[in-house]
Amino acid sequence: MTTPSEAEFLLALQESDFKLRQLKKQLDELPQRAKILDLRHKQREVEEKIEQVGSLRAENENTIRLLQDDEERAIAHRKETQSKIDESSDYKETGALTRELEAAVKKIEKIEFETLKQMEKLDKINEIIVQAKAALVRLQEQEAETVEDFKKNGSELQNAVLHETTLREKRATHLSDSLLKRYEKAVVAKGGIGAAYIEDDHCSACRMPYAEGQLMQLKSSGELAECPHCHRLLVTKR
């Protein structure tokens, strides 16, 4: 059995790279992948909403605490004023204290009304948070199901990628360091196709034809040359 030449291993390496791009493209285009990305985007939106509403809740709870403090002070003032009225025997003083007591009662009623409004607002905020957290859990469950589905549907492709990657690594070991570097540089420069071969009278990659004299010169230069049109590594004999 004839041992494959370095030029043949070069084309085999190019074949592996081409297959790997195709396989990875198929993986990227699996519908589950797009759905997973969409679900994760929605989760981030819900998490941001929970954070925003959580800030509103903190502000609301602080407002309620301040109102409760005001109410405690107002109640204490009302009790103190009532005690003064009970102890007073002066008509004018009693009248003034009575008006003060009425103002204190109105203030307490106003605080209670405002506190009730804030508590109703807090209930709505808590309801929104509960709903958002439930939505987040549903999205996380959907993502887990889709990931599992992706693993099942993509496992064959992933195994093929692993197999081809291993094969590529083996093929690369048969190239000299300098040739491998030239090839990899050409891959980057030429959009993934770094090597080609003479197909009839033209380059298999850029498809540009060679003049008769040019073709003879390329074939007589050895197994490896460079395409004068696209400057890829060119296998002259197959």
Side-chain angles (χ1 to χ4, degrees):
M1 183 179 293
T2 305
T3 303
S5 66
E6 193 174 34
E8 289 173 309
F9 277 117
L10 177 65
L11 290 179
L13 183 63
Q14 177 63 77
E15 181 185 355
S16 286
D17 284 341
F18 182 74
K19 285 182 180 179
L20 282 170
R21 283 197 305 278
Q22 286 184 316
L23 289 167
K24 288 174 182 178
K25 186 173 183 291
Q26 290 176 51
L27 272 172
D28 289 342
E29 291 175 351
L30 281 175
Q32 294 89 347
R33 184 181 181 88
K35 187 176 180 181
I36 289 169
L37 294 175
D38 181 58
L39 287 167
R40 288 177 180 173
H41 175 70
K42 288 178 178 177
Q43 286 178 58
R44 286 193 295 271
E45 289 182 335
V46 174
E47 287 168 347
E48 287 173 3
K49 182 177 182 180
I50 291 172
E51 185 176 350
Q52 291 169 357
V53 178
S55 296
L56 288 176
R57 179 169 66 179
E59 292 176 10
N60 182 262
E61 289 173 338
N62 186 56
T63 299
I64 291 173
R65 282 194 295 270
L66 293 174
L67 286 168
Q68 289 172 338
D69 291 343
D70 285 346
E71 185 179 13
E72 287 179 7
R73 287 191 291 270
I75 290 172
H77 180 61
R78 183 194 65 187
K79 290 180 179 178
E80 182 183 353
T81 304
Q82 184 63 59
S83 296
K84 289 179 180 179
I85 291 173
D86 294 342
E87 294 171 0
S88 178
S89 56
D90 184 271
Y91 174 76
K92 288 184 178 180
E93 183 185 23
T94 301
L97 288 169
T98 299
R99 288 190 294 273
E100 189 176 336
L101 179 64
E102 290 172 350
V105 170
K106 287 181 180 179
K107 183 176 182 180
I108 292 170
E109 290 175 349
K110 183 179 180 181
I111 292 172
E112 288 176 342
F113 177 75
E114 184 60 29
T115 301
L116 182 60
K117 281 174 57 179
Q118 292 298 325
M119 285 183 170
E120 288 173 350
K121 183 179 178 181
L122 180 60
D123 287 341
K124 291 179 181 178
I125 289 173
N126 284 330
E127 185 178 349
I128 291 171
I129 290 176
V130 169
Q131 291 173 350
K133 286 184 176 180
L136 182 61
V137 169
R138 288 195 297 272
L139 288 169
Q140 290 169 339
E141 290 173 348
Q142 289 175 32
E143 182 193 346
E145 291 173 2
T146 308
V147 167
E148 189 61 31
D149 192 33
F150 174 74
K151 287 178 180 178
K152 290 178 182 177
N153 285 274
S155 61
E156 185 176 340
L157 287 171
Q158 289 169 335
N159 289 335
V161 167
L162 181 61
H163 170 75
E164 199 63 41
T165 299
T166 303
L167 184 59
R168 183 199 187 282
E169 290 172 354
K170 288 180 180 178
R171 287 171 171 173
T173 61
H174 292 278
L175 302 184
S176 66
D177 290 342
S178 59
L179 181 58
L180 184 59
K181 286 178 182 178
R182 285 179 63 195
Y183 167 72
E184 290 176 342
K185 185 177 179 180
V187 167
V188 174
K190 300 298 176 181
I193 305 295
Y197 56 88
I198 295 176
E199 185 177 22
D200 297 328
D201 65 345
H202 59 268
C203 171
S204 64
C206 69
R207 316 302 293 180
M208 291 292 291
Y210 302 120
E212 185 176 346
Q214 195 176 40
L215 188 61
M216 289 179 62
Q217 184 179 1
L218 287 169
K219 287 185 176 182
S220 64
S221 63
E223 282 191 319
L224 283 173
E226 182 180 288
C227 175
H229 301 303
C230 66
H231 303 291
R232 289 179 171 89
L233 289 168
L234 186 69
V235 175
T236 60
K237 299 172 185 177
R238 295 186 70 199

